[in-house]
Structures are given as structure tokens and as C-alpha cells.
């Protein structure tokens, strides 16, 4: 993605000669189509405002006593452009008579490879790149790019809240389990409507902590599915326990509840359903089987934060729920993070202790623990993202709905659509279809520069580290051969979706 910083002279030109100068109109039109990011540098704030006020005076022939409204300008600018924070290190050459030019140049390096500073100031232009005029900038706009995930658009949307929160942590200095973590735990618990939320270091640790909390030990059996991300299985085996597999329902990819009972033995301790791609498993049915057999239920809700099952939120449905805030999950941090949830005060207390080396108070270790704490920076990011999360869920649902509509309209028989049960809403961690000859379909789509992914290409019992020979679950095997995830994020436009589906349909026909 390209980034364009408009300096004060450029922004004045945009306002002043918008309709007269064809270089500027061409640039603005291209930017609009490509949806490239335009930035203003905070270090030029006063220069920008004073230039715009001068433009106003000329345009409206105001006399010098009239006051122009700075706040209107500021609002208008903030709606159209992203503000790029100026940092103390931006000015490096104090002898430069235009030291702001040096600062702009350094700020553009911070934005990344494809960043330029658009200007009409001839002195700045004579410095060469990153300074470019409107015509040169036009040549740098990438027409079109489709990303599998898009974290940039969201970041721009919440940038001021985000940067303020990060700076607050920088300054208060409580970097691990600081005040943001406690605030996040409250917000998360409230969001999914459970009593206790325990913020942890990542989704994998969340599973480990949950299983340690119910005392899983060598020889125990955990009932789960083999069609999941390896983390689910990894933590079972790390504790010396054994994953006992139940096949998936081929429509939802979640555990087939009709097959659970026959997998229960005297060693069974828990059922660990995985809410794959953002849709909950049939949790009422699972809880009923579990309570009849004296088993715990642990929800692997790493992909389903925000999803609902019979109007209740994922993460509130088992004895314990574990979720992940890996950056590309529906709610993602800027690094690793996760959380455990429970309604049970005793289990909550134990999980809190395990998270922090099994301590009940400082340097007093009452049980085996781990270092599973969350960073304050990640909590700060998550709090900022939580504010737009409902809107993003709605957008994910619209994106999923549009995909389904486009594929249905095509009447192509070659695609099996995702299926969401009537009593569920998905958080659409993935939009995953099934196709025959997946590899060649995927390659043909990739040739159109459209990224797709396979979640997951192998059942877990075939993975070398957790090999279980002599078993085979047909629905899981078939799914691992046919599933294909299309780009999915809240900011995917309908035009982009059309071109994705067109490439898919062509790829299937060839
Ligand atoms: C992502 C994921 C995990 C692990 O979460 P991390 O935060 O990456 O450790 C566990 N289970 C499933 C199903 C996942 O998708």
C-alpha cells in the first residue's frame, strides 16, 4: 500500500486550485479509486491551518478583522486525512534551514517503503525523493490490491485513540499486567456476559492454563476434533494427556455431537469443542453430554470471539472458554494475547494463579504455574479495538453475505458454501468454501494476485508430532482436502469481492 503525506504547500494547493489544476484533480481521482492513505504531518499543523485561513480570506474577500473558523478546518482535515504523529526524533539536522523538510522525510521513512511527501514547494522538490509533485505522486498510486487481511484500514480508523493509549503505557511504565489489563478483563467479561475473564499471553497458553486449572494430567483423555489448528492438540499432549478424536459435522466443520458419547472412556476428563472459522459448536448438546458423564467443557473460542449461539456469546458457553487475540483473529492485538473465561469463582482464582507462576501472593507458589501474563501494550490496543468491534462484526457479516450472494447468483455447482446454523451468528474469522482440485484452483486464483489460504491442509493425527496411526475420520479428511479460505476482513469492498469471485469462478471452470 502506498502512503502520501501532503505537506502544507500541497494541502493549500488542493484547497485553492482543486478544480483548476489537472495534475491535482487527476491525483485526487486516482487516490479515491485506489483508496490509498493520505496523511498530514502533525508537525506542520500550525503551518497548514494558517495557510488555509489565508486561502479563506482570499476566496471570500474577508477583511482582516473577520475571523475564520480554525476548528471547522481541523475537523474537515481530520475527516479526509490521517494525522501522522510528529516524534522528537524526526528533526535530525538542526542546521537545515527547512528543518521541517528533514522531519517530513524521516516521518515518511517511518511510514514504510512506499511513502512519499507531496509538495509544490520548489526548494523541497529540489531535495528529490521522498519529495514529489502531484504528477509524480500520481505515478506512484497502486491501482488495486487485495489483501487477505487488512489491519491498516482499521488502524487508520482508530489511530488517535490507539496512539494515545500506547503513549500512555510508554509513560506510566507498568508494562506487564498494568491498569489496561484489568480494564480489559472487565470489558471482555462484560462483552461476553461472564463473571470472570483472565487476560493471558496468547490463545495457546489460554488452553494450557484452562487444562491445568481442571487438573489435567498424564493419562487423561480430552475429546476434540482433528480438524483444527495444531495449538488445540499441542497443549493436550504437552500435559501428557491424549487427544481422543471425534469427527466433524461436514457442514459446520465443528465436532459431530452424535459421535461424542462413543468416544468417552473412564479416562475422559473434558470435551474441547473448537468453534471453527467463527461458528460455535452445538454447545447445549455438548454440555448435556458432559454433565451426564462428569466431564468438563472447554470452548476453544480462538476464532469465535464475538460469535453467538442461541443469543448467548461465545466464551460464555462452557465451564471454561479460551480465546486468542492474535493480530488476525476477529479481535486482534498487535502481538500475542489471549484470554480465559469462566463463570466459576474457584476456577477463575486458580487460572489467575497459574497465569502468574502459581502464586497466591508474591513469591508464595501454591501450585504449578506458567508465565502467561498479558502485556499492557496489548491490552491498550485491544481496548481501542473493542470500541469498533461491533461495527466490524457487522461489516464481516455483510462481506460474508455478499460472497454468498455472488456465488449463489453465479449458479456455479463447483463451490460448497459455508453453512451457519440458524441459531448461530458467526464472527467470520474465515470465509471458507470447499472446491474440488483445490490446489490448482488456488494457483489459478493466485495468478490474479488474489491471496487465499487453507485452514487446515492436514488433520492433526497425521502431524508427525502427534501421529496416531490406524485412525481415520472421513469428514475431517475430506474437509482438509477441499477447504479454501477467501480474503476476509471488515473493510473488503464490494468491487474487490466481485473480482475475487470472478477469479474463483474462472479458476473452477478452467
Ligand atoms: C489461533 C488459534 C489458537 C491459538 O491461539 P494463539 O493466540 O495463536 O496462541 C488455538 N486454537 C485455534 C482454533 C486457533 O485458531
Amino acid at each position: 500500500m502506498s502512503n502520501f503525506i501532503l505537506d502544507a504547500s500541497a494541502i493549500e494547493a488542493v484547497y485553492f486550485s482543486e478544480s483548476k489544476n489537472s495534475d491535482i484533480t487527476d491525483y485526487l481521482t486516482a487516490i479515491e479509486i485506489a483508496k490509498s492513505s493520505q496523511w498530514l504531518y502533525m508537525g506542520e499543523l500550525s503551518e497548514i491551518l494558517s495557510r488555509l485561513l489565508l486561502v479563506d480570506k482570499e476566496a471570500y474577500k474577508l477583511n482582516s478583522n473577520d475571523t475564520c473558523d480554525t476548528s471547522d478546518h481541523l475537523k474537515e482535515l481530520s475527516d479526509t486525512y490521517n494525522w501522522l504523529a510528529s516524534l522528537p526524533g524526526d528533526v535530525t539536522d538542526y542546521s537545515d534551514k527547512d528543518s521541517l523538510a528533514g522531519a517530513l522525510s524521516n516521518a515518511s521513512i517511518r511510514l514504510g517503503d512506499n511513502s512519499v511527501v507531496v509538495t509544490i514547494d520548489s526548494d523541497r522538490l529540489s531535495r528529490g525523493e521522498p519529495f514529489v509533485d502531484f504528477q509524480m505522486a500520481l505515478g506512484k498510486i497502486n491501482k488495486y490490491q487485495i489483501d487477505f487481511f487488512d489491519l491498516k484500514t482499521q488502524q487508520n480508523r482508530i489511530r488517535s485513540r490507539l496512539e494515545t493509549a500506547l503513549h500512555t503505557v510508554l509513560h506510566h511504565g507498568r508494562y506487564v499486567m498494568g491498569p489496561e489489563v484489568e480494564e480489559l478483563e472487565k470489558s471482555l467479561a462484560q462483552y461476553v456476559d461472564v463473571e470472570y475473564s483472565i487476560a493471558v499471553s496468547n490463545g495457546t497458553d489460554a488452553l494450557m492454563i484452562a487444562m491445568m486449572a481442571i487438573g489435567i494430567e498424564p493419562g487423561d483423555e480430552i475429546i476434540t476434533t482433528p480438524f483444527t489448528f495444531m495449538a488445540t492438540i499441542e497443549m493436550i499432549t504437552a500435559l501428557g494427556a491424549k487427544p481422543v478424536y471425534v469427527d466433524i459435522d461436514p457442514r459446520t466443520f465443528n465436532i459431530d455431537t452424535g459421535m461424542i458419547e462413543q468416544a468417552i472412556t473412564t479416562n475422559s476428563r473434558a470435551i474441547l469443542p473448537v468453534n471453527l472459522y467463527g461458528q460455535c459448536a452445538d454447545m447445549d448438546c455438548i454440555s448435556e453430554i458432559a454433565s451426564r458423564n462428569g466431564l468438563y467443557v472447554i470452548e476453544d473460542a480462538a476464532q469465535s470471539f464475538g460469535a453467538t449461539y442461541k443469543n448467548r456469546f461465545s466464551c460464555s458457553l462452557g465451564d471454561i472458554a479460551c480465546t486468542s487475540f492474535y493480530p488476525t483473529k476477529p479481535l486482534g492485538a498487535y502481538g500475542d494475547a489471549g484470554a480465559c473465561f469462566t463463570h466459576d469463582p474457584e476456577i477463575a482464582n486458580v487460572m489467575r494463579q497459574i497465569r502468574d507462576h502459581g502464586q497466591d501472593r508474591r513469591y508464595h507458589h501454591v501450585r504449578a504455574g506458567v508465565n502467561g501474563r498479558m502485556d499492557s501494550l496489548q491490552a491498550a490496543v485491544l481496548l481501542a479495538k473493542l470500541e469498533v468491534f461491533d461495527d466490524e462484526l457487522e461489516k464481516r457479516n455483510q462481506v460474508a453475505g455478499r460472497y454468498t450472494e455472488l456465488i449463489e447468483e453465479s449458479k456455479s455447482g463447483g463451490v460448497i458454501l459455508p453453512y451457519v446454523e440458524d441459531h448461530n451468528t458467526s464472527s467470520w474469522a474465515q470465509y471458507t468454501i470447499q472446491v474440488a482440485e483445490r490446489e490448482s484452483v488456488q494457483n489459478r486464483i493466485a495468478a490474479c494476485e488474489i491471496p487465499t489460504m487453507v485452514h487446515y491442509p492436514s488433520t492433526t493425527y497425521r502431524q508427525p508430532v502427534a501421529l496416531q496411526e490406524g485412525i481415520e475420520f472421513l469428514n475431517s479428511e475430506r474437509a482438509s482436502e477441499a477447504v479454501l479460505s477467501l480474503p476476509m476482513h471488515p473493510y473488503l469492498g464490494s468491487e474487490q469481492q466481485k473480482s475475487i469471485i470472478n477469479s474463483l469462478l474462472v479458476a473452477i471452470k478452467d
Side-chain angles (χ1 to χ4, degrees), residues 28 52 98 153 312 362:
L28 290 173
L52 292 191
D98 184 4
T153 307
R312 287 175 281 148
R362 189 170 236 191

Side-chain angles (χ1 to χ4, degrees), residues 18-309:
E18 200 170 351
S19 53
K20 296 166 219 155
N21 181 318
S22 69
D23 280 354
I24 297 181
T25 38
D26 290 352
Y27 162 85
L28 290 173
T29 312
I31 282 276
E32 178 60 31
I33 293 168
K35 303 218 179 308
S36 296
S37 300
Q38 295 193 94
W39 301 80
L40 301 177
Y41 182 57
M42 206 56 179
E44 283 201 315
L45 176 64
S46 61
E47 175 73 17
I48 289 170
L49 286 177
S50 64
R51 280 178 186 244
L52 292 191
L53 294 180
L54 279 177
V55 171
D56 275 354
K57 280 193 180 147
E58 281 182 39
Y60 304 113
K61 305 255 179 302
L62 301 174
N63 46 54
S64 51
N65 296 333
D66 288 342
T67 52
C68 299
D69 202 338
T70 332
S71 60
D72 284 349
H73 279 313
L74 203 49
K75 170 146 194 343
E76 196 180 327
L77 292 172
S78 303
D79 288 344
T80 316
Y81 302 92
N82 301 299
W83 285 104
L84 181 61
S86 48
L87 300 182
D90 287 347
V91 178
T92 41
D93 182 0
Y94 294 98
S95 61
D96 190 337
K97 66 180 185 321
D98 184 4
S99 58
L100 263 182
L104 276 161
S105 183
N106 284 326
S108 90
I109 291 168
R110 182 160 76 239
L111 266 180
D113 286 343
N114 296 315
S115 304
V116 289
V117 181
V118 187
T119 183
I120 60 165
D121 181 297
S122 53
D123 284 342
R124 286 186 176 176
L125 282 170
S126 70
R127 292 171 182 245
E129 293 223 7
F131 296 98
V132 295
D133 62 17
F134 281 99
Q135 200 186 1
M136 289 149 78
L138 180 63
K140 299 215 173 251
I141 299 174
N142 313 345
K143 292 284 160 310
Y144 210 61
Q145 188 187 327
I146 294 177
D147 300 314
F148 194 83
F149 300 112
D150 173 8
L151 301 178
K152 281 275 159 146
T153 307
Q154 177 200 53
Q155 188 177 98
N156 290 342
R157 181 178 175 191
I158 57 171
R159 176 167 306 282
S160 62
R161 169 83 171 78
L162 206 52
E163 289 185 344
T164 305
L166 293 177
H167 275 254
T168 304
V169 177
L170 277 187
H171 291 295
H172 74 49
R174 294 171 60 193
Y175 302 125
V176 178
M177 298 292 294
E180 290 79 8
V181 175
E182 204 172 308
E183 192 187 337
L184 178 70
E185 287 181 336
K186 284 202 188 108
S187 303
L188 293 174
Q190 205 169 21
Y191 191 90
V192 301
D193 196 20
V194 294
E195 201 64 37
Y196 306 100
S197 148
I198 294 101
V200 299
S201 39
N202 58 63
T204 310
D205 286 346
L207 287 166
M208 166 87 109
I209 290 167
M211 284 189 267
M212 287 172 76
I214 57 166
I216 296 302
E217 48 186 49
D220 289 346
E221 294 177 0
I222 311 278
I223 294 169
T224 190
T225 82
F227 189 58
T228 178
F229 180 54
M230 200 58 195
T232 315
I233 308 309
E234 211 168 42
M235 290 301 103
I236 298 173
T237 54
L239 292 171
K242 181 184 172 197
V244 171
Y245 292 114
V246 169
D247 207 356
I248 54 169
D249 173 337
R251 291 185 311 167
T252 62
F253 306 106
N254 285 333
I255 194 165
D256 181 343
T257 51
M259 317 265 278
I260 293 177
E261 215 122 7
Q262 65 203 61
I264 297 175
T265 74
T266 50
N267 293 326
S268 303
R269 296 293 314 283
I271 307 172
L272 176 46
V274 182
N275 302 331
L276 209 69
Y277 307 146
Q279 169 170 223
C280 292
D282 190 351
M283 296 302 289
D284 279 352
C285 181
I286 292 165
S287 295
E288 192 272 321
I289 296 169
S291 70
R292 214 160 6 89
N293 291 279
L295 306 176
Y296 285 100
V297 177
I298 301 174
E299 238 191 299
D300 183 340
Q303 301 182 11
S304 62
F305 187 83
T308 60
Y309 167 84

Side-chain angles (χ1 to χ4, degrees), residues 435-454 483-486 500 503-504 506-508 510:
V435 293
E437 294 173 51
R438 179 188 58 209
E439 202 178 316
S440 59
V441 170
Q442 193 179 20
N443 288 339
R444 286 188 206 116
I445 300 177
C448 309
E449 290 183 31
I450 290 169
T452 57
M453 287 177 85
V454 173
V483 291
L484 185 66
S485 303
L486 303 181
I500 293 165
S503 322
L504 168 70
V506 171
I508 285 170
D510 280 354

